[in-house]
Amino acid sequence: MSQSNDEHHDTHNDPHNETDAAIISNNASLAALDISATDSIDDEILDTFYHREHLLPVMRATLEYVNARVNSSLILPYFEDIDAELWQEKSKALDLYITDSIEGRALNLEARGKDYATNILSYPSDLPIAVIELMPTLPLGELIVCHEVMVREAKEQDKTVAQHISHLLIHGMLHLLGFDHELGQAEQDEMESFEIDILASLNLPNPYIPNA
């Protein structure tokens, strides 16, 4: 399974698991979001910060934006070999796993060789296009969020935790599509512009302007 930027891993079987689907405008495809967490993340944290009602609109907005850009000839690096219309027609699935700083540190060390917990790790589905074409649902991959890092960064950046989570969810989804700000300034500018536009569609501020 390939990995992108600050962002692992195998499927987690956990009692804190939520699956839901919602209609995406544009092509009426479905967005399925599966949320799970390590045992140390309690139900109150999940219900407050990672409830499907909070996160599905962010996922939908990201996919709607990407679909619109694909119509304008945007190439999705990890899906460039799949027909654009087929990409838009397929339902999309995303796995989101919430962890603590102890596991987050171990996963970041395993994935990136960096001995600290990072905010988000992304693991693209990395399936062959021939397989994806046969699947009714297109798996985008898995995002792993370290809740403690997310809370700390939100405080440091004078943002609400909800705003920061929304931003990092969009950021992570873009990584799952193959965009990578670490490739150069042009790629960073492109990715940040996508994030700003998607957040604006959700009436959320530009995360790159202090105290926005």
Side-chain angles (χ1 to χ4, degrees):
M1 194 178 286
S2 65
Q3 140 216 356
S4 151
N5 179 32
D6 14 316
E7 299 139 281
H8 145 178
H9 77 193
D10 307 280
T11 302
H12 296 268
N13 295 318
D14 190 272
H16 300 311
N17 187 283
E18 303 176 29
T19 304
D20 197 43
I23 297 295
I24 304 175
S25 62
N26 210 15
N27 56 28
S29 62
L30 294 172
L33 177 61
D34 186 69
I35 303 171
S36 60
T38 192
D39 290 340
S40 65
I41 303 296
D42 60 33
D43 289 340
E44 183 178 358
I45 290 175
L46 290 177
D47 290 342
T48 302
F49 300 106
Y50 302 98
H51 197 281
R52 62 164 70 90
E53 291 182 4
H54 302 321
L55 300 185
L56 270 173
V58 180
M59 182 182 177
R60 291 197 300 266
T62 304
L63 292 174
E64 289 169 3
Y65 180 84
V66 168
N67 279 342
R69 294 301 298 262
V70 166
N71 284 336
S72 302
S73 302
L74 176 70
I75 302 298
L76 308 179
Y78 287 166
F79 296 96
E80 60 183 346
D81 294 330
I82 192 170
D83 180 77
E85 289 188 9
L86 185 58
W87 154 268
Q88 293 177 319
E89 289 171 359
K90 282 187 177 292
S91 58
K92 313 297 193 303
L94 173 66
D95 292 326
L96 184 66
Y97 177 70
I98 317 303
T99 192
D100 56 29
S101 60
I102 296 174
E103 185 179 34
R105 178 179 179 179
L107 293 174
N108 197 31
L109 182 61
E110 174 191 341
R112 302 167 62 226
K114 299 189 177 183
D115 192 16
Y116 58 85
T118 191
N119 49 23
I120 192 165
L121 293 167
S122 66
Y123 289 80
S125 59
D126 201 27
L127 293 172
I129 296 301
V131 173
I132 290 176
E133 289 176 343
L134 298 175
M135 300 175 71
T137 298
L138 191 157
L140 299 177
E142 181 181 29
L143 297 177
I144 299 181
V145 171
C146 181
H147 178 68
E148 292 164 68
V149 174
M150 195 73 71
V151 171
R152 188 192 72 230
E153 289 182 345
K155 183 177 180 180
E156 292 171 349
Q157 298 171 26
D158 196 23
K159 301 172 182 174
T160 68
V161 177
Q163 286 176 343
H164 196 42
I165 290 171
S166 295
H167 176 210
L168 269 296
L169 178 58
I170 295 166
H171 182 88
M173 287 183 65
L174 291 173
H175 274 306
L176 294 179
L177 299 178
F179 298 101
D180 190 348
H181 52 85
E182 293 188 347
L183 294 177
Q185 189 61 49
E187 289 82 1
Q188 178 178 325
D189 291 345
E190 177 186 52
M191 195 167 170
E192 289 183 0
S193 72
F194 292 168
E195 294 166 9
I196 292 167
D197 288 347
I198 296 166
L199 287 166
S201 75
L202 293 163
N203 296 313
L204 292 173
N206 182 337
Y208 299 103
I209 299 178
N211 302 314

